[in-house]
Each structure stands twice: as structure tokens, then as C-alpha cells.
């Protein structure tokens, strides 16, 4: 009787190391969510930046993935991951603190905002790669979907709370002052990760040149059909979705003349949906299979983004709230299933390089898309630029539905290096 009850306990209850990682990640996301609202509001309200600058600013946080993700991935595989997380948090705290100080002295500029955004994004590269590499060491392979689901759900909940809080904070205390929230949550995350008691796998001993190891990471990322399909799916979604997200602040604050509070509510709706998706993904994959869940989840996600095109001031904003909520649920399912598969098949000593290479492509699209969104906003207007972004997101479900994983029912049945055709024959 006892043996049957123990597995039913939550992973947070039975696994101390996972609990530390979960707490560090969750409080960190809360602060990052506040900053994600504060940065563009600083640009629009406090610095009166151009449409292009506001849209491009959203990509500065992700540009380090494109420019430096690969070498950072090599370093993360060479070093113990816990110290990497700690030092990345310290760097984030110090860099972010320069903005409210500059605001208090009246010397803040758009150039400083771009630089700080880039450096905060760079610290996130180190943090994310090290954190994701530790999760497979903190849980068993059979716990990966549950662990990633809990991470996604709690992160989305914290993101929703942070974005909703940010809308109120930027109105009540000013956008620059609201950055103090992320400084405080980064300190809390630092204490949480310091409590981690985990014997890490032996770091990769790099005897070759860094460029050779970067090439190894890229080669592994594109080595099999499943890894390529998951990567291209994410890249296409991020390309279109980031264009839409980077223009949302302009749509709400300038085109529709609504307040920062509505901006926070819209983004919080997406995060609430993500929380629900993280909680329900295990049940969905158990019932329908991880393959179908991964393939078809992006279809309603595209419709969710399209709802922004029919928003009007006042109660007409609710169309966007509903649409972004739906989008959040569906994207969470897709992300959790894809991440669990990569963690399951990837050797621990390759996790940093796999994460860096895959995010260089998929998250690098976020930086490119934001800049492209800013250019299109200037050339064709905000509404048309958002429409183009929505059309681009439709490429993601097409890759999933008609790509090499179109007949696979359970991604977890694929062994490392196995091609989809072999698993399809076994089903």
C-alpha cells in the first residue's frame, strides 16, 4: 500500500533538489515578468522612443542567444552548473540596478536601456542553460514530463502575476521604479539556488578548441529528424509570435490608446493560459499521446494571436484576453513535450551545447523578429505588421503536422538517434 502511494506525491514534495530549482526559477520569472512590461513602458512613456526603438527593444533580451549562445553553451558544459547560476544572478542584479539609479538622477537614456536589456539577456543565457542542464540530473527520466510541466505551470503563473502586477506598478510608482521588483526576486532566487544539494555529473572536459565544440553542439542539434522538427517548429513560432508580442505595447498604448493596465492584463492572460497548460499537459499526453499533443497544439495558438486583430478599446480588449489565454495553454503543451524529449535523449555532458544551439536558432528568432517588427511598423503600420506576424506563426503547426513526426504517437518511445520511421512501425 505504501509503495503505491509514494509515487502519487508531487515532485515538489518528494524531491528537495527539484524544489530548489523550481523555487529559484519561479521567483525569477516573477521579476522578469515585471521587467518585460517595465522596459517598453519606460521607452514609450518616460523616454518617448520611436515605434522602431520600442519594438526593437523587445529583441535585445534575446539577441545574446543569437550572438553568444553557442560559446556560452560550451562553457556551461565545461563548468559546474550551480556556480554559473549564482554568478549570472549576481550580474543581473548589478546591471539592472543601474536603471532606477539613473532614473533617480535624471540621466537615463534609450541607449542605456538597450545596453542593460542586452546584458540582462546575456545573464539569462548563462542562467537558463545551466538551470535546464540541472533538471535532468535532479529528476529521473520518467519524471521529466511532470517536472517540466510543474516548471512551466509555476513559471506561467508567476509570469501572469508579474505582468498583472507590473501594469499597476508602472502606473502607481513609475516604470523605472518597478524594476526594483526583479532586483528583489533575483536576490530571492540566489538564496534558493544556494540551498541546492546536488551531486552534479562530471562536467565535460574540453580538450579541443571551443569552435570545434560549438560545431559539435550544432551537429547534435540537427542530427535526427525529431530534433530538427522540434527546432524548426519553435523557430517559426518565435519568428512570428515575437513580431506580434513586440508590437503589442504599441498597439495597446498608441493605436488603441489604452493604459498600461490593459497591457498587463493581456500578457497576464497568456501566462495564466501557460500555467493551465503546464498543469494539464501530463493528462493530455497520457490520453492523446505526446505526438498528437505536440503536433496540433499550435493550431489554436495561431488563432489566439489572430484575436489581437479584432480588439477595440474598452470591452473589445477582451477578445485579445481570451485569445492570448488560449494561445498560452497550447504553446505550453508544445514547449513541455518538446523540452522533455530533448532532455530525455540528450547526454548530460551535451545538455549545455544542445540547449545553446537549439535556442540560438529558436530564441535567436525573437531578437530578429522584434527588429523586423519595428521596421514593418514604420513601413506598413502596426496593424499590418501584426497581421504579417500572425501569418508567420502559421508555419509552426504546418511543420509539426506535415513534418517527420507526423505519424509518431509517443515521442518518448523514440530512442537517442532513432528516426521517426522506426517508431511509427512499432506503434
Amino acid at each position: 500500500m505504501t509503495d503505491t502511494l509514494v509515487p502519487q506525491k508531487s515532485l515538489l514534495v518528494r524531491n528537495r533538489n527539484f524544489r530548489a530549482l523550481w523555487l529559484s526559477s519561479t521567483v525569477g520569472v516573477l521579476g522578469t515578468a515585471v521587467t518585460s512590461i517595465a522596459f517598453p513602458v519606460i521607452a514609450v512613456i518616460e523616454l518617448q522612443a520611436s515605434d522602431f526603438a520600442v519594438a526593437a527593444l523587445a529583441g535585445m533580451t534575446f539577441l545574446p542567444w543569437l550572438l553568444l549562445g553557442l560559446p556560452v553553451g560550451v562553457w556551461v558544459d565545461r563548468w559546474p552548473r550551480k556556480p554559473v547560476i549564482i554568478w549570472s544572478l549576481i550580474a543581473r542584479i548589478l546591471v539592472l540596478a543601474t536603471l532606477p539609479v539613473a532614473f533617480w538622477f535624471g540621466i537615463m537614456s534609450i541607449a542605456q536601456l538597450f545596453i542593460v536589456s542586452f546584458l540582462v539577456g546575456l545573464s539569462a543565457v548563462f542562467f537558463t542553460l545551466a538551470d535546464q542542464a540541472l533538471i535532468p540530473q535532479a529528476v529521473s527520466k520518467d519524471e521529466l514530463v511532470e517536472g517540466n510541466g510543474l516548471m512551466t505551470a509555476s513559471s506561467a503563473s508567476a509570469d501572469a502575476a508579474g505582468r498583472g502586477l507590473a501594469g499597476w506598478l508602472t502606473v502607481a510608482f513609475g516604470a523605472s521604479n518597478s524594476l526594483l521588483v526583479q532586483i528583489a526576486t533575483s536576490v530571492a532566487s540566489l538564496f534558493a539556488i544556494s540551498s541546492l544539494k546536488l551531486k552534479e555529473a562530471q562536467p565535460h572536459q574540453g580538450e579541443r578548441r571551443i569552435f570545434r565544440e560549438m560545431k559539435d553542439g550544432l551537429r547534435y542539434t540537427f542530427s535526427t529528424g525529431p530534433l530538427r522538427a522540434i527546432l524548426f517548429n519553435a523557430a517559426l513560432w518565435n519568428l512570428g509570435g515575437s513580431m506580434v508580442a513586440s508590437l503589442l505595447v504599441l498597439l495597446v498604448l498608441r493605436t488603441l490608446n489604452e493604459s498600461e493596465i490593459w497591457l498587463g492584463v493581456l500578457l497576464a492572460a497568456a501566462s495564466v493560459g501557460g500555467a493551465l497548460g503546464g498543469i494539464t499537459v501530463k493528462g493530455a499526453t497520457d490520453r492523446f499521446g505526446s505526438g498528437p499533443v505536440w503536433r496540433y497544439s499550435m493550431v489554436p495558438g495561431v488563432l489566439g494571436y489572430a484575436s489581437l486583430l479584432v480588439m477595440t478599446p474598452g470591452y473589445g480588449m477582451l477578445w485579445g484576453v481570451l485569445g492570448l489565454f488560449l494561445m498560452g495553454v497550447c504553446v505550453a503543451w508544445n514547449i513541455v513535450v518538446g523540452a522533455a524529449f530533448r532532455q530525455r535523449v540528450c547526454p548530460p555532458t551535451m545538455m549545455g551545447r544542445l540547449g545553446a544551439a537549439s535556442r540560438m536558432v529558436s530564441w535567436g528568432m525573437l531578437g530578429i523578429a522584434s527588429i523586423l517588427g519595428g521596421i514593418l511598423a514604420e513601413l506598413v503600420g502596426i496593424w499590418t505588421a501584426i497581421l504579417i506576424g500572425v501569418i508567420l506563426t502559421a508555419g509552426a503547426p504546418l511543420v509539426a503536422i506535415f513534418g517527420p513526426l507526423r505519424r509518431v504517437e509517443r515521442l518518448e518511445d523514440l530512442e537517442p538517434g532513432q528516426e521517426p520511421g522506426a517508431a511509427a512501425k512499432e506503434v
Side-chain angles (χ1 to χ4, degrees):
M1 179 68 70
T2 302
D3 292 339
T4 60
L5 291 177
V6 170
Q8 295 177 359
K9 292 182 179 179
S10 170
L11 192 59
L12 290 171
V13 175
R14 66 180 187 263
N15 190 319
R16 175 183 176 182
N17 287 320
F18 177 78
R19 186 163 61 246
L21 290 170
W22 170 83
L23 182 60
S24 171
S25 176
T26 302
V27 296
V29 169
L30 176 67
T32 300
V34 173
T35 299
S36 68
I37 299 291
F39 272 5
V41 173
I42 290 172
V44 173
I45 304 298
E46 296 180 1
L47 297 176
Q48 297 294 310
S50 67
D51 288 354
F52 170 77
V54 174
L57 177 65
M60 288 300 102
T61 303
F62 298 100
L63 200 57
W65 287 101
L66 184 63
L67 301 179
L68 299 168
L70 285 177
V72 172
V74 174
W75 294 328
V76 166
D77 277 341
R78 288 180 176 181
W79 301 333
R81 278 64 181 260
K82 180 179 174 181
V84 170
I85 296 176
I86 290 174
W87 283 109
S88 68
L89 288 169
I90 293 173
R92 179 195 296 174
I93 292 168
L94 295 176
V95 169
L96 200 59
T98 64
L99 282 176
V101 171
F103 174 73
W104 297 335
F105 285 94
I107 57 175
M108 187 170 62
S109 66
I110 190 66
Q112 182 191 9
L113 190 61
F114 269 72
I115 293 171
V116 169
S117 180
F118 181 87
L119 293 177
V120 168
L122 180 58
S123 72
V125 175
F126 283 94
F127 179 96
T128 302
L129 292 178
D131 182 69
Q132 289 297 306
L134 282 180
I135 291 176
Q137 298 184 50
V139 303
S140 69
K141 288 187 174 183
D142 291 335
E143 294 172 329
L144 281 172
V145 170
E146 181 184 2
N148 281 292
L150 286 170
M151 282 285 197
T152 300
S154 61
S155 295
S157 298
D159 194 59
R163 292 177 188 273
L165 179 64
W168 176 78
L169 286 173
T170 55
V171 173
F173 300 103
S176 294
N177 289 327
S178 67
L179 297 176
L180 296 173
V181 173
Q182 187 176 17
I183 295 174
T185 57
S186 295
V187 172
S189 183
L190 187 60
F191 278 105
I193 206 67
S194 297
S195 70
L196 184 67
K197 304 295 183 183
L198 178 68
K199 184 178 180 180
E200 297 190 39
Q202 186 68 27
H204 170 66
Q205 301 299 319
E207 298 179 354
R208 296 176 293 177
R209 294 180 180 180
I210 188 172
F211 292 105
R212 179 71 62 84
E213 296 190 43
M214 289 163 54
K215 184 179 179 181
D216 289 344
L218 276 174
R219 184 186 296 114
Y220 185 83
T221 303
F222 290 91
S223 63
T224 67
L227 289 175
R228 290 193 296 270
I230 290 171
L231 178 63
F232 294 148
N233 172 262
L236 284 170
W237 179 264
N238 288 341
L239 178 62
S242 183
M243 281 183 57
V244 175
S246 67
L247 296 169
L248 184 59
V249 60
L250 295 171
L251 176 66
V252 173
L253 300 184
R254 287 185 175 170
T255 303
L256 299 176
N257 292 315
E258 286 291 352
S259 71
E260 300 94 311
I261 295 176
W262 266 117
L263 177 63
V265 169
L266 284 165
L267 294 173
S271 300
V272 171
L276 181 61
I279 294 171
T280 58
V281 63
K282 190 175 187 302
T285 56
D286 288 345
R287 181 173 182 179
F288 302 109
S290 57
V293 168
W294 179 80
R295 283 195 295 275
Y296 297 108
S297 56
M298 289 287 193
V299 175
V302 175
L303 299 177
Y305 265 142
S307 69
L308 299 177
L309 297 170
V310 298
M311 286 196 311
T312 56
Y315 288 112
M317 301 291 289
L318 294 177
W319 288 111
V321 173
L322 179 62
L324 290 184
F325 171 82
L326 176 65
M327 183 274 298
V329 174
C330 299
V331 172
W333 285 3
N334 183 276
I335 290 174
V336 169
V337 173
F341 174 76
R342 286 196 299 266
Q343 291 168 343
R344 190 180 187 93
V345 302
C346 183
T349 55
M350 182 65 76
M351 276 301 300
R353 283 168 287 169
L354 171 64
S358 60
R359 287 179 174 88
M360 183 198 74
V361 177
S362 61
W363 287 16
M365 290 296 101
L366 299 173
I368 294 174
S370 298
I371 296 173
L372 180 60
I375 294 173
L376 289 174
E378 296 283 355
L379 294 177
V380 299
I382 296 171
W383 283 101
T384 305
I386 290 177
L387 175 61
I388 293 173
V390 171
I391 293 172
L392 287 174
T393 62
L398 292 178
V399 167
I401 294 171
F402 299 105
L405 293 174
R406 60 186 177 276
R407 294 189 179 92
V408 177
E409 291 297 317
R410 289 167 48 87
L411 295 183
E412 54 270 31
D413 290 341
L414 293 173
E415 297 297 328
Q418 182 181 0
E419 290 298 329
K425 293 176 184 177
E426 296 172 2
V427 175

